[in-house]
Amino acid sequence: MASPENRGRGKSRIVIDVEKARSERRRRHLGRFPRARRIMSVGGLILLGVLLLAGVGGYLWWQNHKKSPSYSLALLVDAAQRDDVRGVEELIDSDRVAEGFAPQVAQKMAESVDPGRVEVLRRQFEAAMPQLLPRVRETMREEVAKGVKSFSEQTGGKMPFMLLALSVARAADVKEQGETATVNVEAGNRPVEMTMQRTPEGRWKVVGLKDDAVASGIAVRLASAVPGATAAPPTSNEPRGRRK
């Protein structure tokens, strides 16, 4: 029989380092695709850089766009869509618009009375305009707001303001010259020209308007207030003595 010492020596103990085996297995697994991992890392960094540059560029563009005439026009469109009277008034210089619009109204009134005497009648109506300017001024805000609403339909109607500002920038033809800008838009399928001027605060205000449809509408409203503007003179060539 074997002694107790011999029996103890005959048995061997096997110890397995599990953590070491796992680490070795992970190392072999990751070592299979070192190049792919490097490419993915570099690609991720490039994508992150592109996104960062795009974000910074977009932010800088937006901050600069907020100083443009088209941005103020978008504010005007937004205010008109919301029927925000105060917002519309802040973006329109009604006095200057009315003063510049008066000759157009006088022209339309003269054309409606007697096309053969337009120049004479136009001067007559222009002489009466200073008394009529308050009424012209009252209607200008309404007419400009209506025109802006019609223009907003060309840009897609109501939408979030940022999208509206981008749509207005695409739809309006803006020519900026120093502190003044000329804006041409389509309102209700008719051309409308607006003159805008930069304010000390950096915004732009509408200070002039050219719109035949609006001029004709105001001319009709004012016709009753100007002597001789509602009826054309007799056009018959028949001698007075033969009239009955």
Side-chain angles (χ1 to χ4, degrees), residues 40-160:
M40 291 178 64
S41 299
V42 173
L45 290 174
I46 292 175
L47 178 60
L48 181 61
V50 170
L51 292 176
L52 182 61
L53 289 175
V56 172
Y59 174 79
L60 294 177
W61 178 87
W62 180 253
Q63 293 302 315
N64 185 65
H65 181 63
K66 289 169 71 173
K67 302 175 184 177
S68 68
S70 59
Y71 182 84
S72 292
L73 182 59
L75 291 174
L76 180 58
V77 171
D78 181 62
Q81 288 179 340
R82 294 184 289 105
D83 294 320
D84 181 1
V85 177
R86 183 176 180 180
V88 171
E89 289 178 348
E90 290 177 351
L91 293 163
I92 298 175
D93 189 333
S94 300
D95 292 336
R96 293 183 62 181
V97 172
E99 290 174 4
F101 206 65
Q104 301 175 62
V105 175
Q107 179 74 20
K108 292 297 180 182
M109 291 171 67
E111 291 174 356
S112 65
V113 172
D114 186 354
R117 300 173 58 233
V118 170
E119 288 302 316
V120 175
L121 293 172
R122 181 179 59 78
R123 288 193 293 269
Q124 175 188 338
F125 296 148
E126 284 184 350
M129 277 297 157
Q131 290 75 34
L132 300 175
L133 273 179
R135 295 183 60 181
V136 175
R137 192 180 301 112
E138 289 175 3
T139 58
M140 285 311 305
R141 296 190 191 95
E142 299 176 10
E143 295 296 340
V144 171
K146 288 179 183 177
V148 167
K149 282 185 178 181
S150 298
F151 167 64
S152 70
E153 295 175 0
Q154 309 292 330
T155 63
K158 292 185 178 181
M159 61 183 69

Side-chain angles (χ1 to χ4, degrees), residues 12 28 32 39 41 44 49-50 54 70 78 123 150 166 182 188-189 213:
S12 61
R28 288 198 302 268
R32 294 176 184 176
I39 292 174
S41 299
V50 170
S70 59
D78 181 62
R123 288 193 293 269
S150 298
L166 296 176
T182 303
N189 296 321

